[in-house]
Amino acid sequence: MKNNIKVQRAIFNLTQQDLADRIGVSRQTINAMEAGKFVPSTVLALKISRLFEKPVNEIFELGEED
């Protein structure tokens, strides 16, 4: 699964730690999502979507391998 979390963080001027604190996960979780090594749960994806004020499908996208 592809995502643009890093871009969204930059727009909102958030560090990985800032984002992690706001959605209740570790900084390592944010790092793993940005690297494409971790696929978030539906609840986590919705929290990120709400924070960035964008629909989930504008942040997350299925890749060809998905």
Side-chain angles (χ1 to χ4, degrees), residues 21-59:
D21 292 343
R22 289 187 183 200
I23 62 173
V25 298
S26 70
R27 185 202 56 78
Q28 291 85 352
T29 298
I30 302 302
N31 184 276
M33 280 192 290
E34 289 182 358
K37 296 179 180 179
F38 177 76
V39 176
S41 68
T42 304
V43 171
L44 187 52
L46 288 170
K47 285 181 178 182
I48 293 168
S49 171
R50 180 172 54 191
L51 178 72
F52 291 142
E53 302 172 350
K54 297 217 180 249
V56 172
N57 62 335
E58 285 188 23
I59 300 169

